[in-house]
Amino acid sequence: MAAPVRQRLLTSTIDLLRRHGVHGTGIADVLRESGVARQSIYHHFPDGKDELVAAATQAAGEHVRRVAQGGHVDALLAWWERTLIEHDYDIGCPVAAAALAGPDCPASTRAAREVFATWREDLASALRLDGVADPELLAGVLVSAFEGAIMQARVERSVTPLRDVAIVMGRLIVPE
Amino acid sequence: MAAPVRQRLLTSTIDLLRRHGVHGTGIADVLRESGVARQSIYHHFPDGKDELVAAATQAAGEHVRRVAQGGHVDALLAWWERTLIEHDYDIGCPVAAAALAGPDCPASTRAAREVFATWREDLASALRLDGVADPELLAGVLVSAFEGAIMQARVERSVTPLRDVAIVMGRLIVPE
DNA sequence: CCTCCCCTAGACCGAACGGTCTATATTGGC
DNA sequence: GCCAATATAGACCGTTCGGTCTAGGGGAGG
């Protein structure tokens, strides 16, 4: 009962987005998992589901950002490996879920775009500090490769796709 | 009226999967877009939506496979660029949609896994023929990077993520 | 005190969901 | 001629959907 209502809503929504995607997650599911009253959703997120999903996407993006403190690729990799195994490969990336929601959820799409941009900027800064060539280019490809690897890892039920990305990208991330 | 019913069902389902994902696509939508009778779905796909989506995923995977005849990365890139622009960035990869559908759609998840495996094998064979080192490793990362780039390209409404993947991966795909 | 805000409880709405059912063509092969 | 397979049309089912509504509880600040 400790956590405030808004936070509980976001946490539950993120969890459900990772399992079932945007359209596979119902308001009733969020209510059940968070134990919050129906009306409270529309108090905190007047625009309804799309706004809730967009806010959850932003929050999830911030969380991952803190995990990869300073853009350390190895920390990101380790965290995703652990998370996938902990949840028995029954989850994906909530930002990917928002990105694939489609035109019915414009706010969610926008949120996904902004999170991806933030991730790229963080990674590019870290790469630049390490003296790596083409930091922006590599940062974008890193985000792409990570997102694809998470998707493959989920259906393969194996962390191999993630590790392979780390191996291959490691060859490119070298000081010039 | 030319195309047989089963084919029209698959074509329409693929199109809708790319726009709205698995849970965002309803049976009624498929019926409307394909102009097929409701009962015909359950004639060709007795297990209902999950089986239809799985079959559509397989068919889409085969189609992309033919596009990348022999595993030519450049052909794949050009096709995705053209497709995204043609549809004004309102589509994604249908296999990704199936991969993120979640545990309610076990057949679709299985289909996504098999398509990813086929793509990796095709790419690995092509890389091996070109005398590239670590063909399996690179093939897996290529699939990851492509899938992630398609996702980013969609929300960014730009082909830049795809081109960046091509540039960076081109540096790795060199004869040993 | 009263009022405003946050929160809960739960009924209620019309629409859409996936799936089943009956009934009626229209085929092509035996 | 007959039968099975394929197709169409459309009613119908119970459930769930996202969203709105009313009614009331409790705490903080005027």
Side-chain angles (χ1 to χ4, degrees):
Chain A
M1 297 301 134
V5 166
R6 190 188 150 93
Q7 191 55 50
R8 272 191 289 159
L9 280 173
L10 291 178
T11 304
S12 299
T13 303
I14 291 171
D15 182 63
L16 289 161
L17 284 183
R18 304 217 291 183
R19 293 180 203 277
H20 309 288
V22 173
H23 296 291
T25 296
I27 297 288
D29 301 323
V30 176
L31 299 179
R32 199 178 310 115
E33 184 154 323
S34 63
V36 156
R38 192 176 194 86
Q39 198 69 340
S40 295
I41 288 189
Y42 299 95
H43 174 74
H44 290 282
F45 309 99
D47 279 353
K49 186 180 176 180
D50 191 24
E51 189 181 354
L52 170 64
V53 169
T57 302
Q58 273 189 281
E62 267 306 307
H63 183 246
V64 172
R65 202 180 172 210
R66 276 191 298 273
V67 165
Q69 193 79 356
H72 287 8
V73 174
D74 293 339
L76 208 51
L77 171 79
W79 182 77
W80 271 112
E81 280 196 19
R82 185 161 24 94
T83 305
L84 278 167
I85 291 170
E86 264 174 17
H87 292 79
D88 202 25
Y89 298 102
D90 270 341
I91 57 158
C93 173
V95 187
L100 298 188
D104 313 331
C105 311
S108 307
T109 304
R110 203 178 318 124
R113 173 166 53 240
E114 285 161 10
V115 170
F116 282 147
T118 304
W119 285 355
R120 283 197 309 269
E121 286 160 20
D122 280 9
L123 281 168
S125 302
L127 292 172
R128 198 177 299 109
L129 280 180
D130 288 351
V132 176
D134 297 326
E136 289 88 358
L137 181 70
L138 278 181
V141 176
L142 264 174
V143 171
S144 288
F146 253 101
E147 285 296 332
I150 293 161
M151 196 188 305
Q152 279 199 80
R154 183 181 189 182
V155 297
E156 302 281 349
R157 305 183 72 82
S158 155
V159 294
T160 302
L162 277 165
R163 297 214 170 136
D164 288 354
V165 162
I167 292 170
V168 169
M169 297 307 289
R171 297 180 187 168
L172 291 162
I173 304 177
V174 287
E176 61 181 338
Chain B
M1 293 297 137
V5 166
R6 190 189 149 93
Q7 191 56 49
R8 272 190 288 158
L9 280 173
L10 291 179
T11 304
S12 299
T13 303
I14 291 171
D15 182 64
L16 288 161
L17 284 183
R18 304 217 289 183
R19 292 181 205 277
H20 308 287
V22 173
H23 297 291
T25 296
I27 298 288
D29 300 323
V30 176
L31 298 179
R32 199 178 310 115
E33 183 154 324
S34 64
V36 156
R38 192 176 194 86
Q39 198 67 344
S40 295
I41 288 189
Y42 299 95
H43 174 73
H44 290 283
F45 308 100
D47 279 353
K49 186 179 176 179
D50 191 24
E51 189 182 353
L52 170 64
V53 169
T57 302
Q58 272 189 281
E62 268 303 308
H63 182 247
V64 172
R65 203 181 170 209
R66 276 191 297 275
V67 165
Q69 193 78 358
H72 287 9
V73 175
D74 293 341
L76 209 51
L77 171 80
W79 181 78
W80 270 113
E81 280 195 19
R82 184 159 26 93
T83 304
L84 278 167
I85 292 170
E86 265 174 16
H87 292 79
D88 202 26
Y89 299 101
D90 269 341
I91 57 159
C93 173
V95 186
L100 298 188
D104 312 330
C105 311
S108 306
T109 304
R110 203 178 318 125
R113 173 166 53 240
E114 285 162 10
V115 169
F116 282 146
T118 304
W119 286 354
R120 285 197 308 270
E121 286 160 19
D122 279 11
L123 282 169
S125 301
L127 292 172
R128 196 177 300 109
L129 280 179
D130 289 351
V132 176
D134 297 325
E136 289 88 359
L137 180 70
L138 278 181
V141 176
L142 264 175
V143 171
S144 288
F146 253 101
E147 285 295 332
I150 293 161
M151 195 187 300
Q152 280 199 81
R154 183 183 189 180
V155 297
E156 302 281 349
R157 304 183 73 80
S158 154
V159 293
T160 302
L162 277 165
R163 296 213 169 136
D164 288 353
V165 163
I167 292 170
V168 170
M169 297 307 288
R171 295 180 189 170
L172 291 162
I173 302 176
V174 287
E176 62 181 337

